[in-house]
C-alpha cells in the first residue's frame, strides 16, 4: 500500500493489535500517550460503545497530529445478553464473565478510528462467538495461567480457552482478536487516496 508520504501511528498498547497491524506489512510506530478516560455508563445503545470509545481514544491522543501523520485507535467490547463486558476488574470479575459466556453465544464488536490532522473516519465490525459449557476447573485454569485481565470479556480467542471452548465463530477471527484488519486495510487505502 502506498502511504503517500504519511506516517502511521497506532495509538494502542495491545500486543495483539500491533501483531495484526504488522500482518498488513505496513510501517507504523506506536504511541500510547492519551488523556481519554474510558466510561460508557451513560450510553444507551450497547453497539455504539466501541465506536464512542475508539473516537475518544483518538481525540484523547496527547498531542496534535502533524500533517503527515495518521492515527489509528480501536476499542473492543463483548456483548452478552444486555451486558457489555470490557476488561475484568479482577479475578472474581473474570470468573463471573467466563461463567456468563459459558454455553452461550455472544457478540464481539470492534471499532476503529482513522484520523489525520484534517480528516476522520470510524467504522465497526461485529463477530459472533459461541462457547460450549465451560467447567469451573477450566475457567480457573485459564484465568490463573493466562491472566486475561487486559482482554474484553476476560478471554483471548487465540489462547487456550479458545482452543478448548469455542464451538463456532460467525464473522472475522481478527475482529475478535481486537482489530478487523480486512476493514482496516480497505478503509486505510481509501483514506490515504483522499488526503
Amino acid at each position: 500500500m502506498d502511504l503517500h508520504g504519511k506516517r502511521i501511528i497506532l495509538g494502542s498498547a495491545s500486543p495483539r493489535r500491533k501483531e495484526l497491524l504488522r500482518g498488513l506489512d505496513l510501517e507504523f510506530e506506536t504511541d500510547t500517550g492519551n488523556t481519554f478516560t474510558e466510561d460508557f455508563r451513560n450510553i444507551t445503545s450497547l453497539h455504539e460503545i466501541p465506536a464512542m470509545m475508539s473516537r475518544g481514544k483518538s481525540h484523547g491522543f496527547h498531542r496534535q497530529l502533524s500533517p503527515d501523520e495518521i492515527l489509528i485507535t480501536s476499542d473492543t467490547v463483548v456483548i452478552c445478553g444486555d451486558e457489555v463486558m470490557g476488561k475484568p476488574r479482577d479475578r472474581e470479575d473474570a470468573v463471573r464473565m467466563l461463567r456468563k459466556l459459558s454455553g452461550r453465544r455472544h457478540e464481539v464488536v470492534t471499532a476503529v478510528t482513522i484520523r489525520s490532522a484534517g480528516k476522520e473516519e470510524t467504522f465497526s465490525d461485529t463477530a459472533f462467538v459461541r462457547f460450549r459449557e465451560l467447567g469451573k476447573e477450566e475457567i480457573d485454569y485459564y484465568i490463573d495461567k493466562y491472566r486475561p485481565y487486559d482482554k474484553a470479556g476476560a478471554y483471548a480467542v487465540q489462547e487456550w480457552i479458545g482452543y478448548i471452548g469455542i464451538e463456532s465463530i460467525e464473522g472475522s477471527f481478527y475482529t475478535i482478536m481486537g482489530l478487523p484488519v480486512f476493514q482496516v486495510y480497505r478503509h486505510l487505502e481509501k483514506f490515504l487516496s483522499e488526503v
Side-chain angles (χ1 to χ4, degrees), residues 104-152:
R104 296 180 68 180
R105 181 179 186 255
H106 63 272
E107 296 175 65
V108 181
V109 184
T110 296
V112 178
T113 300
I114 301 174
R115 184 169 67 86
S116 66
K119 187 177 172 201
E120 176 180 338
E121 179 185 7
T122 299
F123 54 92
S124 298
D125 190 59
T126 302
F128 299 88
V129 179
R130 177 178 290 281
F131 271 107
R132 66 167 177 77
E133 289 284 344
L134 299 169
K136 179 185 182 308
E137 299 79 12
E138 291 167 331
I139 291 172
D140 288 342
Y141 172 81
Y142 175 66
I143 291 170
D144 293 338
K145 176 152 186 178
Y146 290 88
R147 306 184 59 74
Y149 303 119
D150 64 335
K151 297 168 178 72

Side-chain angles (χ1 to χ4, degrees), residues 18-75:
K18 288 181 204 171
E19 174 191 344
L20 291 172
L21 194 57
R22 263 196 300 271
L24 293 178
D25 288 343
L26 295 173
E27 284 191 29
F28 66 93
E29 59 191 78
T30 303
D31 187 339
T32 59
N34 210 296
T35 60
F36 179 65
T37 302
E38 295 188 26
D39 182 3
F40 51 80
R41 285 173 295 189
N42 297 322
I43 303 301
T44 52
S45 170
L46 303 183
H47 293 84
E48 281 301 306
I49 290 171
M52 188 203 82
M53 301 298 250
S54 179
R55 280 191 297 271
K57 290 175 182 179
S58 184
H59 289 280
F61 192 62
H62 65 103
R63 61 173 176 80
Q64 294 290 321
L65 293 175
S66 65
D68 68 334
E69 293 177 324
I70 293 176
L71 176 66
I72 298 174
T73 54
S74 185
D75 192 75

Side-chain angles (χ1 to χ4, degrees), residues 141-195:
Y141 172 81
Y142 175 66
I143 291 170
D144 293 338
K145 176 152 186 178
Y146 290 88
R147 306 184 59 74
Y149 303 119
D150 64 335
K151 297 168 178 72
Y155 79 92
V157 65
Q158 74 278 13
E159 290 180 345
W160 181 84
I161 198 85
Y163 295 166
I164 65 102
I166 292 177
E167 288 183 343
S168 66
I169 291 173
E170 298 167 52
S172 170
F173 181 85
Y174 303 111
T175 292
I176 302 163
M177 267 184 81
L179 197 69
V181 284
F182 67 105
Q183 283 202 23
V184 170
Y185 186 85
R186 189 167 49 88
H187 283 268
L188 193 54
E189 207 169 33
K190 185 171 182 290
F191 195 91
L192 285 162
S193 72
E194 295 170 355
V195 290

